Amino acid sequence: MKPAMATEMEEKKQMVLSLCTCTQCPSFEDCGEEGGYCFPAIGKSGCITVEEGCICGGCPVYEKMGLEHLYYCSRGSEKEQTGT
Ligand code: SF4
Ligand code: SF4
């Protein structure tokens, strides 16, 4: 990956993490992760497996990035769930 692209990706990731509302979600488990599971460079959680509701629909990132799925923590990033 070109350095410029890597920087862009990192900036986007930081934007996603700063807006992410996962820590307020009933399904969230605190194992030291920061959320942002919808983002391809982050993806699935290493500890969340039980789906007890998903508040992604109310997250600013959801609209901003045109997301269409839910439960990114247990099912994988938007990209993974879209299968592209
Ligand atoms: S859409 Fe969901 S996983 Fe993505 S940043 Fe928002 S709350 Fe986190
Ligand atoms: S991805 Fe959805 S279900 Fe998982 S912690 Fe974030 S808001 Fe909750």
Side-chain angles (χ1 to χ4, degrees):
M1 198 185 285
K2 284 183 195 151
M5 265 178 83
T7 310
E8 203 179 298
M9 179 82 105
E10 187 54 35
E11 277 171 9
K12 217 169 175 183
K13 182 176 156 185
Q14 291 313 325
M15 180 277 286
V16 169
L17 287 176
S18 70
L19 297 173
C20 182
T21 57
C22 283
T23 54
Q24 288 150 49
C25 171
S27 300
F28 187 76
E29 276 187 55
D30 189 357
C31 61
E33 295 174 348
E34 296 173 280
Y37 308 112
C38 58
F39 196 60
I42 298 175
K44 249 185 222 168
S45 163
C47 64
I48 303 169
T49 52
V50 185
E51 298 178 348
E52 292 177 345
C54 178
I55 58 167
C56 282
C59 170
V61 175
Y62 203 82
E63 210 186 323
K64 223 178 164 87
M65 310 249 297
L67 303 180
E68 290 177 346
H69 294 82
L70 289 172
Y71 291 108
Y72 300 107
C73 56
S74 53
R75 301 181 191 180
S77 68
E78 178 73 17
K79 206 174 168 189
E80 265 181 277
Q81 291 196 50
T82 311
T84 50

